[in-house]
Amino acid sequence: MLLPGTQLVRRPLHCIRAVGRLPSRSLMNLRQLVCALDDFASLSLAESWDNVGLLVEPSPPHTVNTLFLTNDLTEEVMEEAVQKKADLILSYHPPVFTPLKRVTWKTWKERLVVRALEHRIGIYSPHTAYDAIPHGVNNWLTKGLGACTSVPLHPSTAPSYPAEGTHRVEFCTDNTEHLDMVLSKLKDIHEISCLTTVPARVEGEEQTRVSLNCSQKALLEVVALLSQNSLLYHKTEILLLQKPLLPHTGMGRLCTLSEPASLSDIIERVKSHLKLPHIRLAVGMGKTLESPVKKAALCAGSGSSVLKGMEADLYLTGEMSHHDVLDAVANGISVILCEHSNTERGFLSELRDMLAIHLQNNVNIIVSEKDRDPLQVA
């Protein structure tokens, strides 16, 4: 029964149903998603020569519903991304590496940019940042060896110094009047920080110890000022500040197997992990397929520069130069080559699951089915 003055409002049933149904996933703004991807793997970890980050951006605002993962963005993969209505492509290898002087239909990489912008698809590449992170490509590759512990072959350093400045300058003096003058002039120098004075006992005498941090540019001015007093200058220490090493982060991995395994067993493990019917093998001088492997150095992709000179029983990578393989073999190190992208592509499935958690299932994440290594055995 209705109260006086009230009306019965009829609403379509489908509207009532829509109100009660929450969307299974929400969308993400491109900039928001890029920030989340940078948080997952800081681009500061990438090699200096690399081209990483957001490479192609549709005009804003751009909303991402589908994130498309691939190892290599070829034209075939691009068409797959278009058909699957991708809004952002995460391509492990940067499809734009050397600068483009024009964007036409002439070359395949230019066409990738054209197709991406035509269909409002962004392109993001992490490349060597994913090589360096503890939960990245190289860590995934270590699983092909069996149970082992690993450390980076070339550890990464933090992007910034532990304190402001690149150098620390310290000196002592017992001349209070002269110290006040020096401190006054030091404060006028730009790019100086953490200027402190503390009492100190030096060779039985009460003195004042001065400490400061400064940039490379400011260091020249500091030294010029202190050199005006020979006694002060000769008591000056200049320390080069080091960026701290990041734990479990860096290029390549040196793996120590929990239990030594024969080279033939390692080969089978690697083939199983990478889902390959074959690999290329160079047996180290004086070694056989039954020789034990205790330590293995690995690097996803092209590992020559990363593995060179490392002491191990085995090198595992995608490709190496002919002469680098000869050097390794001569030093008694066996080499397993799996082709470049075969040591990387399998990581995408693991990446999909990690990103789903990191992005809180706010976007649909799919892995390319067309992406594959360009080389095959005929």
Side-chain angles (χ1 to χ4, degrees):
M1 179 176 179
L2 297 177
L3 296 175
T6 61
Q7 293 182 335
L8 176 64
V9 178
R10 298 184 182 276
R11 296 174 184 262
L13 184 59
H14 70 273
C15 289
I16 297 174
R17 190 182 301 122
V19 170
R21 185 178 65 242
L22 296 175
S24 58
R25 65 175 77 248
S26 57
L27 307 176
M28 291 186 75
N29 176 271
L30 176 62
R31 286 294 177 180
Q32 177 190 9
L33 178 53
V34 167
C35 287
L37 291 174
D38 292 349
D39 181 61
F40 178 78
S42 172
L43 298 181
S44 65
L45 298 174
E47 294 291 280
S48 59
W49 48 260
D50 210 352
N51 190 34
V52 295
L54 186 62
L55 306 183
V56 175
E57 178 182 10
S59 59
H62 184 62
T63 302
V64 178
N65 177 50
T66 299
L67 175 61
F68 182 90
L69 309 182
T70 185
N71 198 77
D72 293 298
L73 183 54
T74 62
E75 289 189 277
E76 183 182 15
V77 172
M78 172 59 81
E79 291 311 307
E80 180 190 10
V82 169
Q83 291 174 12
K84 293 184 176 178
K85 302 186 183 308
D87 303 296
L88 178 65
I89 295 172
L90 188 154
S91 176
Y92 168 74
H93 287 136
V96 179
F97 190 77
T98 55
L100 296 175
K101 292 187 177 181
R102 56 184 57 82
V103 179
T104 69
W105 202 248
K106 187 174 182 180
T107 68
W108 73 274
K109 292 203 170 184
E110 291 176 66
R111 291 195 292 271
L112 289 177
V113 176
V114 172
R115 292 292 281 163
L117 292 176
E118 282 180 339
H119 292 275
R120 294 189 56 75
I121 301 174
I123 301 176
Y124 179 95
S125 177
H127 200 202
T128 51
Y130 278 12
D131 292 347
I133 56 176
H135 49 289
V137 181
N138 282 308
N139 183 68
W140 167 80
L141 189 56
T142 65
K143 298 175 183 179
L145 298 172
C148 65
T149 57
S150 67
V151 295
L153 292 172
H154 301 278
S156 297
T157 57
S160 58
Y161 292 91
E164 292 183 46
T166 58
H167 293 77
R168 175 168 294 162
V169 179
E170 296 181 349
F171 62 89
C172 290
T173 181
D174 58 359
N175 188 326
T176 305
E177 182 178 344
H178 183 253
L179 176 61
D180 290 340
M181 180 195 69
V182 170
L183 290 176
S184 176
K185 292 183 177 180
L186 284 174
K187 291 175 182 177
D188 291 335
I189 300 176
H190 295 295
E191 300 181 13
I192 281 184
S193 62
C194 305
L195 178 59
T196 60
T197 58
V198 294
R201 192 169 185 83
V202 181
E203 297 178 352
E205 296 183 2
E206 295 296 330
Q207 299 192 11
T208 299
R209 187 168 192 84
V210 180
S211 174
L212 61 90
N213 290 352
C214 64
S215 66
Q216 177 75 45
K217 178 183 176 182
L219 179 63
L220 299 176
E221 297 181 62
V222 172
V223 170
L225 173 63
L226 298 180
S227 63
Q228 295 173 11
N229 184 303
S230 59
L231 290 177
L232 201 60
Y233 182 70
H234 289 304
K235 293 180 180 179
T236 299
E237 296 180 66
I238 301 175
L239 306 173
L240 175 63
L241 299 178
Q242 298 289 337
K243 294 179 180 179
L245 297 180
L246 296 175
H248 315 297
T249 306
M251 297 301 162
R253 294 293 184 270
L254 180 62
C255 307
T256 302
L257 277 67
S258 300
E259 295 290 338
S262 68
L263 178 58
S264 60
D265 283 346
I266 295 294
I267 291 170
E268 293 308 313
R269 292 178 188 179
V270 170
K271 287 162 63 176
S272 174
H273 182 58
L274 302 185
K275 298 179 173 58
L276 296 175
H278 63 272
I279 50 89
R280 290 191 288 163
L281 173 69
V283 180
M285 187 71 68
K287 303 297 175 62
T288 70
L289 289 174
E290 298 310 312
S291 295
V293 174
K294 180 65 175 176
K295 286 187 180 293
L298 62 80
C299 177
S302 181
S304 286
S305 60
V306 175
L307 299 175
K308 197 174 185 66
M310 295 295 170
E311 294 185 6
D313 302 309
L314 172 70
Y315 287 170
L316 169 61
T317 187
E319 59 181 341
M320 286 176 64
S321 75
H322 173 77
H323 295 287
D324 286 335
V325 172
L326 290 179
D327 285 342
V329 169
N331 289 317
I333 302 171
S334 297
V335 178
I336 293 178
L337 302 180
C338 307
E339 305 306 348
H340 189 114
S341 66
N342 288 336
T343 57
E344 303 161 337
R345 184 169 291 101
F347 171 67
L348 294 179
S349 296
E350 196 168 286
L351 174 64
R352 175 192 57 206
D353 297 339
M354 287 190 290
L355 286 181
I357 296 171
H358 184 72
L359 302 176
Q360 300 179 333
N361 290 309
N362 280 328
V363 296
N364 179 38
I365 306 174
I366 57 178
V367 178
S368 171
E369 297 176 2
K370 300 291 186 182
D371 178 39
R372 60 183 180 276
D373 195 272
L375 293 173
Q376 57 182 309
V377 177

